[in-house]
Amino acid sequence: MGVRKNILITGASAGLGEQMARDFAARGRDLALCARRLDRLEALRDELLAAHPGVTITVRQLDVTEHAQVFAAFDAVRAEFGTLDRVIVNAGGGKGRPIGTGGFDTNLHSAQTNFVAALAQCEAAVQIFRDQGHGHLVVISSMSAMRGLPRGMTTYAATKAGVAALAEGIRADLLGTAVKVTTVFPGYIVSEANPAAKPKPMMVSTEQGVRAMVRAIERERPQAKVPAWPWVPVGFVMRHAPLRAVARFS
């Protein structure tokens, strides 16, 4: 497959999704940007068109937890562009409470947004890819998916492990076809979920982190931990270290 020209990104109004839109527009790609906050999408569209007048940018207000909206939006973008070459399942949230402390509603919302809504997006995207005979599904997971994590991270980590397994299952189902699947595991990257005002060890800027994400997406490898340094070795440690050490690190 050559250049993936037409790209749909969910969760594009802020954070990693917003910066991915900037990076892909700079590469000359046509973009469909989806998120709940239409005003921010429109401001981003205007910014990108001013900087890159040769690209096409369309925006759609979308709440990914409204599953019928997901299917309608994806189909509409395909109809508008004629073909949909890549879908980046990025929308999500990071709020959580320790299990058993009265935070079920918060954890349920996280599970619905990060996993069930991602399932809807994957279903809608792969349905289109199967029909047109090609496409690239990109699922944004997290380094948190490497292990079960304590405290407020428990549900979030579980949902990100779930979407990673979902993506791998889709990849297994589509082996040998022209539909490719990439799972991206970002480390600590500055975003609304990880503000710079609360720095963490090994945290990188939004621009640096997303640059690594976009490079990994363009390579279309099955999986990528980004930035590769230090997250490839850190991922190995997280997988194999005693749970007590992982819990302390997190």
Side-chain angles (χ1 to χ4, degrees), residues 109-182:
H109 182 265
S110 181
Q112 290 172 333
T113 304
N114 292 342
F115 183 78
V116 180
L119 173 62
Q121 293 167 75
C122 290
E123 183 77 38
V126 175
Q127 184 172 298
I128 290 169
F129 294 158
R130 286 182 186 272
D131 181 67
Q132 65 189 17
H134 66 86
H136 183 205
L137 177 68
V138 179
V139 175
I140 307 300
S141 180
S142 168
M143 287 301 300
S144 303
M146 298 296 109
R147 291 290 287 275
L149 298 180
R151 299 179 291 280
M153 290 294 292
T154 301
T155 300
Y156 178 80
T159 64
K160 290 302 186 178
V163 296
L166 174 65
E168 187 171 50
I170 297 168
R171 187 182 308 116
D173 201 32
L174 295 170
L175 288 173
T177 76
V179 180
K180 305 304 177 186
V181 182
T182 296

Side-chain angles (χ1 to χ4, degrees), residues 13-179:
S13 63
L16 305 183
E18 180 181 20
Q19 188 60 36
M20 278 192 283
R22 292 192 177 101
D23 282 25
F24 280 116
R27 291 171 178 253
R29 311 303 170 80
D30 295 333
L31 302 176
L33 306 179
C34 303
R36 288 175 300 151
R37 294 176 286 189
L38 185 59
D39 57 334
R40 293 188 62 155
L41 289 177
E42 291 173 338
L44 178 60
R45 176 195 61 198
D46 294 346
E47 172 199 326
L48 297 179
L49 290 175
H52 312 286
V55 303
T56 298
I57 309 289
T58 185
V59 299
R60 291 187 175 272
Q61 188 171 34
L62 175 63
D63 180 345
V64 293
T65 63
E66 298 290 339
H67 306 138
Q69 285 186 23
V70 172
F71 287 86
F74 284 30
D75 287 342
V77 169
R78 184 204 182 180
E80 181 177 348
F81 283 171
T83 184
L84 193 50
D85 301 320
R86 174 180 288 147
V87 171
I88 301 177
V89 178
N90 171 69
K95 292 183 179 179
R97 296 275 299 277
I99 302 298
T101 63
F104 176 73
D105 288 345
T106 299
N107 292 330
L108 176 62
H109 182 265
S110 181
Q112 290 172 333
T113 304
N114 292 342
F115 183 78
V116 180
L119 173 62
Q121 293 167 75
C122 290
E123 183 77 38
V126 175
Q127 184 172 298
I128 290 169
F129 294 158
R130 286 182 186 272
D131 181 67
Q132 65 189 17
H134 66 86
H136 183 205
L137 177 68
V138 179
V139 175
I140 307 300
S141 180
S142 168
M143 287 301 300
S144 303
M146 298 296 109
R147 291 290 287 275
L149 298 180
R151 299 179 291 280
M153 290 294 292
T154 301
T155 300
Y156 178 80
T159 64
K160 290 302 186 178
V163 296
L166 174 65
E168 187 171 50
I170 297 168
R171 187 182 308 116
D173 201 32
L174 295 170
L175 288 173
T177 76
V179 180

